[in-house]
């Protein structure tokens, strides 16, 4: 996988905390968003 | 799903729609044999799913079996580039060899589903401006296209066929023949769950015969389970490799033109995500629904598919965890 691509992750719902912890514990670089439109705006800003 | 011209013509034959004498070949030797059987001037047509084959050099004529073999050597194996193939082109594996006809008039016949509010039904289109791109006719001289809606409940009526035939400026002597062909096209459209049928050009020969010189049929993928004989016509070499990989993985993936790669669970959320990317000023590179019961492995594969599109400049992962739990998504993302 191309790790150089900027990424925004939005997780909600079942086991959201466990999921976020896993992502934070990895060495992947990404931004986190809570809301749907917020996620879209963040990803467009990364282009 | 799309099929090749020669395959569409076989369906036409089943329904009694006349086509030129000919056969499909995958070697120059076969082309020579078919040409000597036909015994006259032939047209050799590259069989790829894209349109614009003639302009790209994929359609040529030959006067003798020897010449046909020589032309076939040029076409079979060539990388054919048309306005529909993209710059990378398509490799030609087969050609259709057909008798050349003495054409009096080139017409257009087509059926599509018109989704506009006043129609919402299959619409049969006919035009005297055949042989050219119908999109161009529609934008430059829309009055040259005659349209007749065919309500699926009351079905197609022969008066509609006659209306189209007379609209094409046909002589009384051939109107009923034309009307019958149009009716058969409508039957194919309904019985085979097609989404589009086109005959361009639909020709009138100097001898007064009507024939389908070209044939294009697209089918509704969701109707294919009812037509195993049509599913068999699928040519994987003609399809987007990423979409094939996705369908083998059980992921719904459609490649688009933008640069924001999306990975979403659920088709509705995926649609909403694409809308919001647009609203935020971006453009989605794909539609991707990993589905409800996705495993970490499937998510990893989905990631590979989405990142192998070179246009992708940023990724948006949008998951609403339900049956598919967020921690499972996260491990898929990390392993990918």
């Amino acid at each position: 996988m191309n790790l150089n691509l900027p990424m925004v992750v939005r997780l909600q719902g079942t086991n959201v905390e466990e999921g976020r912890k896993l992502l934070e514990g990895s060495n992947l670089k990404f931004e986190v968003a809570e809301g749907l439109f917020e996620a879209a705006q963040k990803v467009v800003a990364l282009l | 799903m799309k099929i090749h011209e020669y395959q569409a013509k076989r369906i036409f034959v089943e329904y009694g729609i006349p086509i030129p004498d000919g056969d499909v070949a995958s070697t120059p030797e076969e082309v020579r044999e078919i040409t000597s059987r036909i015994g006259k001037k032939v047209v050799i047509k590259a069989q790829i799913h894209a349109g614009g084959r003639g302009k790209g050099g994929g359609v040529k004529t030959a006067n003798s079996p020897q010449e046909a073999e020589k032309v076939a050597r040029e076409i079979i194996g060539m990388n054919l580039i048309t306005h529909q193939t993209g710059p990378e082109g398509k490799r030609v594996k087969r050609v259709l060899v057909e008798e050349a006809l003495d054409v009096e008039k080139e017409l257009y016949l087509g059926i599509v589903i018109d989704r506009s509010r006043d129609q919402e039904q299959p619409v049969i289109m006919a035009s005297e401006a055949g042989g050219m791109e119908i999109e161009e006719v529609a934008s430059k001289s829309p009055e040259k296209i005659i349209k007749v809606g065919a309500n699926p409940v009351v079905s197609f009526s022969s008066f509609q066929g006659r209306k189209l035939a007379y609209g094409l400026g046909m002589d009384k002597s051939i109107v009923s023949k034309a009307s019958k062909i149009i009716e058969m096209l409508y039957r194919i459209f309904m019985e085979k769950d097609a989404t589009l049928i086109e005959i361009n050009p639909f020709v009138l020969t100097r001898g007064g015969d009507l024939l389908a010189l070209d044939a294009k049929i697209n089918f509704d993928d969701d109707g294919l389970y009812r037509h195993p004989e049509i599913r068999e016509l699928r040519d994987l070499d003609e399809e987007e490799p990423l979409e094939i990989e996705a369908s083998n993985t059980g992921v719904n993936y459609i490649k688009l033109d933008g640069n924001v790669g999306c990975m979403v669970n659920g088709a509705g959320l995926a649609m909403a995500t694409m809308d919001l990317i647009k609203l935020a000023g971006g453009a989605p590179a794909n539609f991707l629904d990993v589905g409800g019961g996705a495993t970490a492995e499937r998510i990893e594969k989905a990631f590979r598919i989405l990142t192998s599109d070179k246009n992708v400049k940023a990724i948006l992962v949008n998951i609403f965890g339900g049956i598919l739990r967020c921690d499972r998504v996260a491990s898929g993302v990390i392993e990918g």
Side-chain angles (χ1 to χ4, degrees):
Chain A
M1 182 182 128
N2 188 350
L3 293 170
N4 299 321
L5 288 170
M7 182 162 77
V8 175
V9 178
R10 173 185 179 251
L11 294 180
Q12 289 291 352
T14 313
N15 289 6
V16 63
E17 288 311 320
E18 289 88 334
R20 286 207 186 122
K21 268 182 207 146
L22 277 172
L23 287 173
E24 279 160 20
S26 74
N27 47 12
L28 287 173
K29 270 189 264 170
F30 59 89
E31 287 194 36
V32 176
E34 303 242 326
L36 183 46
F37 190 46
E38 177 200 350
Q41 284 172 318
K42 277 189 173 168
V43 77
V44 171
L46 289 173
L47 289 172
Chain B
M1 188 187 86
K2 291 180 181 176
I3 59 172
H4 288 291
E5 175 193 359
Y6 75 92
Q7 297 168 324
K9 280 182 171 163
R10 283 178 188 166
I11 296 175
F12 282 4
V13 170
E14 276 174 46
Y15 281 80
I17 297 172
I19 60 163
D21 182 16
D23 208 347
V24 68
S26 49
T27 66
E29 292 72 32
E30 284 169 22
V31 171
R32 191 188 58 216
E33 281 165 29
I34 296 165
T35 309
S36 55
R37 183 187 60 75
I38 293 172
K40 54 193 267 200
K41 185 179 175 182
V42 294
V43 183
I44 298 163
K45 305 171 85 179
Q47 298 295 292
I48 60 167
H49 282 182
R53 292 169 296 168
K55 279 184 201 155
V59 179
K60 286 186 173 142
T61 58
N63 289 303
S64 68
Q66 290 73 26
E67 192 189 351
E69 186 179 340
K70 188 171 156 277
V71 170
R73 265 184 220 294
E74 291 163 22
I75 297 179
I76 296 170
M78 82 183 282
N79 199 43
L80 185 53
I81 300 169
T82 80
H83 67 288
Q84 287 184 1
T85 59
E88 68 277 10
K90 281 274 177 219
R91 188 149 308 275
V92 179
K93 293 186 298 177
R94 294 181 210 89
V95 290
L96 180 62
V97 187
E98 284 185 336
E99 59 173 328
L101 298 172
D102 203 1
V103 174
E104 162 101 26
K105 217 169 168 188
E106 293 196 330
L107 308 162
Y108 171 93
L109 273 183
I111 308 182
V112 287
I113 293 173
D114 188 337
R115 294 174 197 278
S116 60
R117 270 209 98 98
D118 55 330
Q119 291 284 349
E120 293 181 333
Q121 60 188 356
V123 168
I124 303 154
M125 298 184 296
S127 175
E128 278 191 87
M132 49 196 289
E133 278 171 51
I134 199 68
E135 291 84 356
E136 206 178 311
V137 180
S139 70
K140 285 185 184 154
S141 33
E143 74 287 350
K144 284 191 181 151
I145 300 178
I146 317 155
K147 292 186 209 170
V148 168
N151 188 310
V153 179
V154 292
S155 187
F156 180 81
S157 310
S158 53
F159 83 88
Q160 293 176 302
R162 287 196 296 276
K163 185 178 166 188
L164 286 161
Y166 279 118
L168 289 173
M170 281 181 178
D171 189 79
K172 238 182 175 165
S173 59
I174 53 167
V175 160
S176 70
K177 216 168 7 181
S179 170
K180 191 78 196 153
I181 291 172
I182 297 167
E183 190 181 336
M184 285 303 145
L185 272 191
Y186 179 77
R187 274 188 53 194
I188 297 173
F189 191 87
M190 299 306 287
E191 290 173 13
K192 302 284 184 188
D193 291 315
T195 55
L196 174 142
I197 301 185
E198 268 187 330
I199 308 180
N200 190 19
F202 175 55
V203 299
L204 173 63
T205 64
R206 288 190 211 286
D209 291 319
L210 289 165
L211 296 100
L213 212 57
D214 196 12
K216 181 176 176 178
I217 310 180
N218 293 353
F219 299 93
D220 181 350
D221 289 348
D222 294 322
L224 285 176
Y225 73 98
R226 303 204 288 196
H227 310 285
E229 79 289 357
I230 285 169
R231 198 199 289 263
E232 274 177 25
L233 305 177
R234 188 171 174 193
D235 184 350
L236 291 176
D237 289 347
E238 294 282 341
E239 295 180 22
E240 178 64 48
L242 288 177
E243 290 180 11
I244 297 169
E245 199 188 327
S247 82
N248 292 337
T249 319
V251 169
N252 289 312
Y253 172 88
I254 311 283
K255 195 177 175 306
L256 301 168
D257 298 332
N259 55 9
V260 179
C262 319
M263 183 163 85
V264 191
N265 66 328
L269 187 59
M271 294 294 284
T273 305
M274 296 194 302
D275 279 349
L276 285 168
I277 289 170
K278 276 275 188 193
L279 190 64
N286 63 276
F287 167 94
L288 196 162
D289 167 19
V290 288
T295 56
E297 188 200 352
R298 197 198 283 181
I299 291 161
E300 184 196 324
K301 280 201 179 136
F303 239 97
R304 282 182 199 284
I305 291 164
L306 126 85
T307 52
S308 36
D309 173 1
K310 287 180 190 66
N311 294 328
V312 170
K313 295 285 176 278
I315 300 167
L316 175 55
V317 178
N318 184 18
I319 302 289
F320 191 85
I323 305 168
L324 173 60
R325 307 188 314 263
C326 292
D327 53 326
R328 206 190 259 183
V329 177
S331 33
V333 170
I334 294 161
E335 282 158 30

